[in-house]
Amino acid sequence: MLARKSIIPEEFGLPGLASRMPRKPVFRDRVNKARFIAKNGSCNLAHKNIREQGRFLQDVFTTLVDLKWRFTLVIFTTTFVSSWLLFAMTWWLVAFGHGDLDPDREKGIECVTNVKSFSSAFLFSIEVTIGFGAALITEQCSMAIAVLIIQNIVGLIINAIMLGCIFMKTAQSNRRAETLIFSRHAVIAVRNNRLCFMTRIGDLRKSMIIGAAVRLQVVRKTTTPEGEVIPIHQIDVQTESVLASNSLFLLAPLIICHAIDKNSAGDLEVIVILEGVVETTGITTQARTSYISEEIQWGHRFVPIVAEEEGVYSVDYSKFGNTVKVATPRCSARELDEKPSILIQTLQKSELSHQNSLRKRNSMRRNNSMRNKGTGGGGMRRNNSALAIPKVQFLTPTDGGANLVT
Protein backbone atom coordinates (compact mmCIF):
# COMPACT_ATOMS: atom_id res chain seq x y z
CA MET A 1 0.00 0.00 0.00
CA LEU A 2 1.41 3.34 -1.02
CA ALA A 3 1.87 6.03 1.59
CA ARG A 4 -0.62 8.85 1.40
CA LYS A 5 0.95 12.01 0.04
CA SER A 6 0.54 15.12 2.13
CA ILE A 7 -1.17 18.15 0.68
CA ILE A 8 1.64 20.37 2.11
CA PRO A 9 4.77 20.45 -0.05
CA GLU A 10 7.82 18.89 1.53
CA GLU A 11 9.90 22.06 1.34
CA PHE A 12 7.30 23.82 3.53
CA GLY A 13 7.04 21.00 6.03
CA LEU A 14 8.61 21.02 9.51
CA PRO A 15 11.75 19.04 8.51
CA GLY A 16 12.34 21.27 5.49
CA LEU A 17 11.90 24.48 7.44
CA ALA A 18 14.16 23.24 10.25
CA SER A 19 16.90 22.36 7.79
CA ARG A 20 16.84 25.86 6.26
CA MET A 21 16.70 27.76 9.56
CA PRO A 22 20.03 29.39 10.48
CA ARG A 23 21.55 27.64 13.46
CA LYS A 24 22.86 29.71 16.31
CA PRO A 25 26.53 29.27 17.00
CA VAL A 26 27.27 27.07 20.00
CA PHE A 27 29.63 28.76 22.45
CA ARG A 28 31.61 26.37 24.58
CA ASP A 29 33.10 27.45 27.86
CA ARG A 30 36.82 27.68 27.73
CA VAL A 31 38.54 25.18 29.95
CA ASN A 32 40.03 27.24 32.76
CA LYS A 33 43.59 26.50 33.70
CA ALA A 34 43.92 25.00 37.17
CA ARG A 35 45.42 27.45 39.63
CA PHE A 36 47.79 26.40 42.38
CA ILE A 37 46.54 28.89 45.00
CA ALA A 38 42.90 30.01 45.16
CA LYS A 39 41.89 33.62 45.73
CA ASN A 40 41.10 32.90 49.40
CA GLY A 41 44.57 31.42 49.93
CA SER A 42 43.67 27.73 50.01
CA CYS A 43 45.93 25.32 48.12
CA ASN A 44 44.30 23.65 45.14
CA LEU A 45 46.08 20.35 45.72
CA ALA A 46 44.65 16.87 46.33
CA HIS A 47 46.68 14.11 48.01
CA LYS A 48 45.93 10.66 46.62
CA ASN A 49 47.11 7.09 47.18
CA ILE A 50 48.86 7.74 50.50
CA ARG A 51 49.85 4.28 51.69
CA GLU A 52 51.53 5.15 54.99
CA GLN A 53 48.46 6.39 56.83
CA GLY A 54 50.02 5.50 60.16
CA ARG A 55 52.29 8.53 60.00
CA PHE A 56 49.31 10.75 60.83
CA LEU A 57 48.74 8.82 64.07
CA GLN A 58 52.32 9.42 65.17
CA ASP A 59 51.45 13.12 65.47
CA VAL A 60 48.00 12.85 67.08
CA PHE A 61 47.85 16.44 68.32
CA THR A 62 48.45 18.01 64.90
CA THR A 63 45.99 15.57 63.34
CA LEU A 64 43.31 16.59 65.84
CA VAL A 65 43.96 20.28 65.21
CA ASP A 66 43.74 19.83 61.44
CA LEU A 67 40.40 18.01 61.67
CA LYS A 68 37.13 19.80 61.09
CA TRP A 69 35.12 20.99 64.09
CA ARG A 70 32.44 18.32 63.83
CA PHE A 71 35.01 15.53 63.94
CA THR A 72 36.85 17.19 66.82
CA LEU A 73 33.67 17.45 68.91
CA VAL A 74 32.77 13.82 68.16
CA ILE A 75 36.24 12.65 69.25
CA PHE A 76 36.05 14.89 72.34
CA THR A 77 32.72 13.39 73.45
CA THR A 78 33.66 9.83 72.54
CA THR A 79 36.92 10.00 74.50
CA PHE A 80 35.28 11.13 77.73
CA VAL A 81 32.35 8.70 77.50
CA SER A 82 34.72 5.81 76.72
CA SER A 83 36.90 6.64 79.72
CA TRP A 84 33.85 6.80 81.98
CA LEU A 85 32.57 3.43 80.73
CA LEU A 86 36.00 1.83 81.08
CA PHE A 87 36.46 2.94 84.66
CA ALA A 88 32.82 2.17 85.47
CA MET A 89 33.56 -1.44 84.51
CA THR A 90 36.71 -1.28 86.64
CA TRP A 91 34.77 -0.01 89.70
CA TRP A 92 32.11 -2.66 89.18
CA LEU A 93 34.80 -5.38 89.11
CA VAL A 94 36.39 -3.95 92.26
CA ALA A 95 33.05 -3.98 94.04
CA PHE A 96 32.26 -7.48 92.72
CA GLY A 97 35.64 -8.88 93.82
CA HIS A 98 35.31 -7.35 97.26
CA GLY A 99 31.75 -8.65 97.67
CA ASP A 100 30.09 -5.24 97.84
CA LEU A 101 27.33 -6.34 95.44
CA ASP A 102 26.03 -8.89 97.97
CA PRO A 103 22.77 -7.47 99.42
CA ASP A 104 23.34 -9.29 102.77
CA ARG A 105 26.79 -7.77 103.28
CA GLU A 106 27.22 -5.55 106.31
CA LYS A 107 27.63 -1.82 105.78
CA GLY A 108 30.88 -0.05 106.62
CA ILE A 109 33.29 -2.63 105.21
CA GLU A 110 32.70 -2.02 101.43
CA CYS A 111 35.33 -0.47 99.12
CA VAL A 112 33.01 2.19 97.65
CA THR A 113 29.81 3.23 99.30
CA ASN A 114 26.54 3.25 97.36
CA VAL A 115 27.94 1.18 94.45
CA LYS A 116 25.46 -1.70 94.10
CA SER A 117 25.17 -2.03 90.28
CA PHE A 118 26.83 -1.06 87.02
CA SER A 119 24.71 2.10 86.81
CA SER A 120 25.89 3.28 90.20
CA ALA A 121 29.48 2.42 89.18
CA PHE A 122 29.09 4.52 86.01
CA LEU A 123 27.78 7.45 88.06
CA PHE A 124 30.69 7.10 90.47
CA SER A 125 33.13 7.15 87.51
CA ILE A 126 31.64 10.47 86.38
CA GLU A 127 31.74 11.81 89.95
CA VAL A 128 35.47 11.08 90.15
CA THR A 129 36.03 13.21 87.03
CA ILE A 130 33.92 16.19 88.13
CA GLY A 131 35.10 16.05 91.76
CA PHE A 132 31.93 15.63 93.82
CA GLY A 133 29.17 13.07 94.46
CA ALA A 134 27.48 10.85 97.01
CA ALA A 135 29.68 7.75 96.70
CA LEU A 136 32.88 7.57 98.74
CA ILE A 137 35.97 5.36 98.89
CA THR A 138 36.77 3.77 102.22
CA GLU A 139 40.09 2.54 103.61
CA GLN A 140 38.90 -1.06 103.52
CA CYS A 141 40.26 -1.65 99.96
CA SER A 142 43.68 -0.59 98.70
CA MET A 143 42.74 -1.58 95.14
CA ALA A 144 40.06 1.13 95.04
CA ILE A 145 42.63 3.76 96.06
CA ALA A 146 44.95 2.68 93.22
CA VAL A 147 42.12 2.78 90.67
CA LEU A 148 41.15 6.26 91.88
CA ILE A 149 44.70 7.54 91.34
CA ILE A 150 44.90 6.01 87.85
CA GLN A 151 41.54 7.50 86.82
CA ASN A 152 42.54 10.97 87.99
CA ILE A 153 45.80 10.84 86.02
CA VAL A 154 44.06 9.59 82.86
CA GLY A 155 41.38 12.26 83.20
CA LEU A 156 43.97 15.03 83.52
CA ILE A 157 45.77 13.80 80.40
CA ILE A 158 42.53 13.70 78.39
CA ASN A 159 41.57 17.19 79.60
CA ALA A 160 44.98 18.61 78.69
CA ILE A 161 44.98 17.12 75.18
CA MET A 162 41.39 17.97 74.27
CA LEU A 163 41.37 21.48 75.76
CA GLY A 164 44.74 22.23 74.14
CA CYS A 165 43.39 20.99 70.82
CA ILE A 166 40.32 23.23 71.08
CA PHE A 167 42.44 26.22 72.08
CA MET A 168 44.77 25.73 69.12
CA LYS A 169 41.84 25.43 66.73
CA THR A 170 40.32 28.70 67.95
CA ALA A 171 43.71 30.50 67.90
CA GLN A 172 44.95 29.25 64.55
CA SER A 173 47.03 31.68 62.54
CA ASN A 174 44.70 31.52 59.53
CA ARG A 175 42.00 33.24 61.61
CA ARG A 176 44.12 36.39 61.76
CA ALA A 177 44.74 36.13 58.03
CA GLU A 178 41.03 36.75 57.39
CA THR A 179 41.60 40.48 58.00
CA LEU A 180 44.66 40.65 55.73
CA ILE A 181 43.28 41.58 52.32
CA PHE A 182 44.60 41.71 48.78
CA SER A 183 43.30 43.59 45.77
CA ARG A 184 41.02 41.59 43.51
CA HIS A 185 43.12 42.38 40.43
CA ALA A 186 46.76 43.14 39.85
CA VAL A 187 47.86 45.87 37.45
CA ILE A 188 50.72 46.51 35.06
CA ALA A 189 51.76 50.10 34.41
CA VAL A 190 54.82 52.30 34.09
CA ARG A 191 56.39 53.42 37.37
CA ASN A 192 59.71 55.21 37.57
CA ASN A 193 60.18 54.73 33.81
CA ARG A 194 59.92 50.95 34.16
CA LEU A 195 57.15 48.50 33.40
CA CYS A 196 55.94 47.19 36.78
CA PHE A 197 53.62 44.55 38.12
CA MET A 198 51.70 45.93 41.12
CA THR A 199 49.25 44.64 43.69
CA ARG A 200 47.82 46.18 46.86
CA ILE A 201 47.76 44.65 50.35
CA GLY A 202 46.14 45.91 53.55
CA ASP A 203 45.29 45.09 57.15
CA LEU A 204 41.78 45.79 58.49
CA ARG A 205 42.74 45.56 62.17
CA LYS A 206 44.42 48.23 64.25
CA SER A 207 46.71 45.67 65.89
CA MET A 208 49.72 45.49 63.61
CA ILE A 209 51.62 42.63 62.03
CA ILE A 210 55.16 42.74 63.38
CA GLY A 211 57.96 42.03 60.93
CA ALA A 212 55.62 41.75 57.96
CA ALA A 213 57.29 40.43 54.81
CA VAL A 214 55.91 39.95 51.31
CA ARG A 215 57.15 37.34 48.87
CA LEU A 216 56.19 36.93 45.23
CA GLN A 217 56.48 33.61 43.47
CA VAL A 218 55.70 32.57 39.93
CA VAL A 219 54.24 29.12 39.33
CA ARG A 220 54.32 27.75 35.81
CA LYS A 221 54.79 24.55 33.88
CA THR A 222 58.29 24.29 32.42
CA THR A 223 60.32 21.79 30.46
CA THR A 224 64.04 21.36 30.99
CA PRO A 225 66.51 21.06 28.07
CA GLU A 226 66.67 17.34 28.85
CA GLY A 227 62.94 16.98 28.25
CA GLU A 228 61.86 16.72 31.90
CA VAL A 229 58.43 18.30 32.51
CA ILE A 230 58.07 20.21 35.78
CA PRO A 231 54.32 20.78 36.31
CA ILE A 232 54.75 23.17 39.26
CA HIS A 233 57.93 25.20 38.89
CA GLN A 234 58.21 27.85 41.62
CA ILE A 235 60.35 30.89 40.88
CA ASP A 236 61.01 33.66 43.41
CA VAL A 237 60.28 37.18 42.18
CA GLN A 238 62.07 40.20 43.58
CA THR A 239 60.06 43.17 44.82
CA GLU A 240 60.96 46.75 45.64
CA SER A 241 60.57 46.11 49.38
CA VAL A 242 63.29 43.45 49.27
CA LEU A 243 65.77 45.92 47.80
CA ALA A 244 65.60 48.23 50.81
CA SER A 245 64.46 46.01 53.69
CA ASN A 246 62.94 42.60 54.16
CA SER A 247 60.14 43.81 56.44
CA LEU A 248 57.18 46.14 55.90
CA PHE A 249 55.53 48.63 58.20
CA LEU A 250 51.98 47.62 57.36
CA LEU A 251 50.25 50.54 59.02
CA ALA A 252 48.23 51.50 55.93
CA PRO A 253 47.57 49.69 52.63
CA LEU A 254 50.70 49.35 50.54
CA ILE A 255 51.31 48.71 46.85
CA ILE A 256 53.77 45.89 46.22
CA CYS A 257 55.71 46.49 43.03
CA HIS A 258 57.85 44.22 40.87
CA ALA A 259 59.85 45.72 37.99
CA ILE A 260 59.30 43.56 34.93
CA ASP A 261 62.48 42.85 33.00
CA LYS A 262 63.31 40.98 29.83
CA ASN A 263 63.61 37.69 31.74
CA SER A 264 60.04 37.85 33.04
CA ALA A 265 57.69 35.30 31.48
CA GLY A 266 54.00 35.40 30.65
CA ASP A 267 51.07 32.99 30.90
CA LEU A 268 51.75 32.19 34.52
CA GLU A 269 50.33 32.38 38.02
CA VAL A 270 51.73 34.97 40.43
CA ILE A 271 51.47 34.02 44.11
CA VAL A 272 51.62 36.76 46.77
CA ILE A 273 52.53 35.63 50.30
CA LEU A 274 52.27 37.95 53.31
CA GLU A 275 53.85 36.71 56.55
CA GLY A 276 54.31 38.24 59.98
CA VAL A 277 53.82 37.92 63.72
CA VAL A 278 50.50 38.90 65.29
CA GLU A 279 51.08 41.69 67.78
CA THR A 280 48.45 40.57 70.32
CA THR A 281 49.12 36.81 70.40
CA GLY A 282 52.69 36.42 69.12
CA ILE A 283 51.59 33.73 66.64
CA THR A 284 53.07 33.73 63.16
CA THR A 285 50.40 34.14 60.48
CA GLN A 286 50.42 33.88 56.72
CA ALA A 287 47.99 35.16 54.09
CA ARG A 288 48.11 34.08 50.45
CA THR A 289 46.47 34.83 47.13
CA SER A 290 47.29 34.45 43.47
CA TYR A 291 46.73 36.20 40.16
CA ILE A 292 46.36 34.54 36.79
CA SER A 293 46.54 36.22 33.39
CA GLU A 294 42.82 37.07 33.34
CA GLU A 295 43.14 38.89 36.69
CA ILE A 296 45.97 41.21 35.65
CA GLN A 297 44.89 44.55 34.13
CA TRP A 298 47.24 46.11 31.61
CA GLY A 299 47.58 49.89 31.61
CA HIS A 300 45.89 50.49 34.98
CA ARG A 301 46.99 52.04 38.25
CA PHE A 302 45.54 51.89 41.75
CA VAL A 303 43.75 55.01 42.94
CA PRO A 304 44.97 56.72 46.13
CA ILE A 305 42.93 55.77 49.20
CA VAL A 306 44.91 57.45 52.01
CA ALA A 307 44.05 61.09 52.73
CA GLU A 308 44.71 63.53 55.55
CA GLU A 309 41.52 64.80 57.17
CA GLU A 310 41.64 67.18 60.14
CA GLY A 311 45.12 66.09 61.17
CA VAL A 312 44.34 62.35 60.92
CA TYR A 313 45.20 59.98 58.09
CA SER A 314 42.10 58.12 56.92
CA VAL A 315 41.88 55.10 54.64
CA ASP A 316 38.89 54.65 52.33
CA TYR A 317 38.62 50.87 51.91
CA SER A 318 35.69 51.24 49.51
CA LYS A 319 38.28 52.18 46.86
CA PHE A 320 40.78 49.50 47.86
CA GLY A 321 40.68 47.69 44.52
CA ASN A 322 39.70 50.60 42.26
CA THR A 323 41.98 51.36 39.32
CA VAL A 324 42.26 54.02 36.63
CA LYS A 325 43.61 53.76 33.11
CA VAL A 326 47.03 55.25 32.49
CA ALA A 327 49.28 55.51 29.45
CA THR A 328 51.19 52.24 29.07
CA PRO A 329 53.08 51.08 25.99
CA ARG A 330 51.69 47.98 24.29
CA CYS A 331 54.94 46.09 24.30
CA SER A 332 56.89 43.62 26.35
CA ALA A 333 59.64 44.46 28.80
CA ARG A 334 62.22 43.10 26.38
CA GLU A 335 61.03 45.47 23.64
CA LEU A 336 60.98 48.34 26.13
CA ASP A 337 64.58 47.64 27.11
CA GLU A 338 65.68 47.44 23.50
CA LYS A 339 63.72 50.53 22.38
CA PRO A 340 63.39 53.06 25.23
CA SER A 341 61.88 55.52 22.77
CA ILE A 342 58.61 53.57 22.92
CA LEU A 343 58.02 54.80 26.44
CA ILE A 344 58.85 58.40 25.51
CA GLN A 345 56.46 58.32 22.57
CA THR A 346 53.69 56.84 24.70
CA LEU A 347 54.13 59.48 27.39
CA GLN A 348 54.16 62.26 24.79
CA LYS A 349 50.94 60.98 23.24
CA SER A 350 49.38 60.76 26.68
CA GLU A 351 50.46 64.32 27.48
CA LEU A 352 49.03 65.61 24.20
CA SER A 353 45.72 63.83 24.73
CA HIS A 354 45.61 65.15 28.28
CA GLN A 355 46.23 68.71 27.09
CA ASN A 356 43.58 68.36 24.39
CA SER A 357 41.06 67.11 26.90
CA LEU A 358 41.88 70.00 29.23
CA ARG A 359 41.58 72.46 26.34
CA LYS A 360 38.18 71.04 25.36
CA ARG A 361 37.04 71.12 28.94
CA ASN A 362 38.10 74.74 29.38
CA SER A 363 36.40 75.75 26.13
CA MET A 364 33.19 74.04 27.18
CA ARG A 365 33.30 75.81 30.52
CA ARG A 366 33.95 79.14 28.78
CA ASN A 367 31.03 78.62 26.41
CA ASN A 368 28.73 77.63 29.26
CA SER A 369 29.74 80.68 31.28
CA MET A 370 29.21 83.01 28.31
CA ARG A 371 25.83 81.42 27.59
CA ASN A 372 24.81 81.86 31.19
CA LYS A 373 25.93 85.48 31.15
CA GLY A 374 24.03 86.13 27.94
CA THR A 375 20.90 84.60 29.33
CA GLY A 376 21.23 86.54 32.53
CA GLY A 377 21.89 89.89 30.70
CA GLY A 378 18.89 89.48 28.39
CA GLY A 379 16.67 88.83 31.34
CA MET A 380 17.97 91.93 33.04
CA ARG A 381 17.36 93.99 29.93
CA ARG A 382 13.86 92.67 29.63
CA ASN A 383 13.18 93.41 33.24
CA ASN A 384 14.60 96.92 32.93
CA SER A 385 12.62 97.62 29.75
CA ALA A 386 9.46 96.51 31.45
CA LEU A 387 10.05 98.89 34.33
CA ALA A 388 11.33 101.87 32.29
CA ILE A 389 9.03 104.82 31.32
CA PRO A 390 8.06 104.61 27.64
CA LYS A 391 9.67 107.33 25.54
CA VAL A 392 7.80 109.59 23.15
CA GLN A 393 8.30 108.54 19.55
CA PHE A 394 8.08 110.89 16.50
CA LEU A 395 7.77 109.99 12.86
CA THR A 396 9.73 112.27 10.49
CA PRO A 397 9.21 112.09 6.78
CA THR A 398 12.21 111.20 4.65
CA ASP A 399 12.84 110.58 1.05
CA GLY A 400 12.73 106.84 1.40
CA GLY A 401 9.83 106.74 3.77
CA ALA A 402 9.39 107.28 7.45
CA ASN A 403 12.09 106.77 10.08
CA LEU A 404 11.52 106.16 13.69
CA VAL A 405 13.11 108.80 15.96
CA THR A 406 13.27 108.40 19.69
Side-chain angles (χ1 to χ4, degrees), residues 7-29:
I7 60 176
I8 302 176
E10 294 182 358
E11 61 269 14
F12 294 103
L14 185 60
L17 294 175
S19 62
R20 292 198 305 269
M21 288 180 62
R23 296 184 179 180
K24 295 182 179 180
V26 179
F27 297 97
R28 297 182 180 178
D29 296 336

Side-chain angles (χ1 to χ4, degrees), residues 258-271:
H258 160 67
I260 302 175
D261 54 14
K262 60 183 179 180
N263 297 322
S264 301
D267 192 15
L268 41 79
E269 178 181 355
V270 182
I271 300 176

Side-chain angles (χ1 to χ4, degrees), residues 312-352:
V312 178
Y313 288 97
S314 62
V315 181
D316 186 4
Y317 282 98
S318 63
K319 302 178 182 178
F320 183 81
N322 293 1
T323 60
V324 294
K325 290 185 178 181
V326 292
T328 305
R330 294 284 182 175
C331 64
S332 63
R334 185 187 301 273
E335 296 176 351
L336 192 60
D337 290 341
E338 295 175 355
K339 298 179 180 179
S341 59
I342 299 177
L343 178 60
I344 299 175
Q345 294 175 0
T346 305
L347 295 178
Q348 289 177 353
K349 291 180 181 178
S350 174
E351 183 66 22
L352 289 176

Side-chain angles (χ1 to χ4, degrees), residues 239-253:
T239 60
E240 285 186 352
S241 60
V242 179
L243 298 177
S245 176
N246 195 28
S247 60
L248 299 174
F249 188 55
L250 194 58
L251 181 63

Side-chain angles (χ1 to χ4, degrees), residues 162-174:
M162 299 310 300
L163 293 179
C165 175
I166 293 177
F167 171 76
M168 290 302 297
K169 286 184 71 67
T170 54
Q172 280 183 331
S173 59
N174 56 0

Side-chain angles (χ1 to χ4, degrees), residues 192-204:
N192 297 328
N193 297 328
R194 300 188 66 181
L195 203 61
C196 296
F197 170 88
M198 291 174 285
T199 181
R200 177 176 276 171
I201 62 174
D203 188 5
L204 299 179

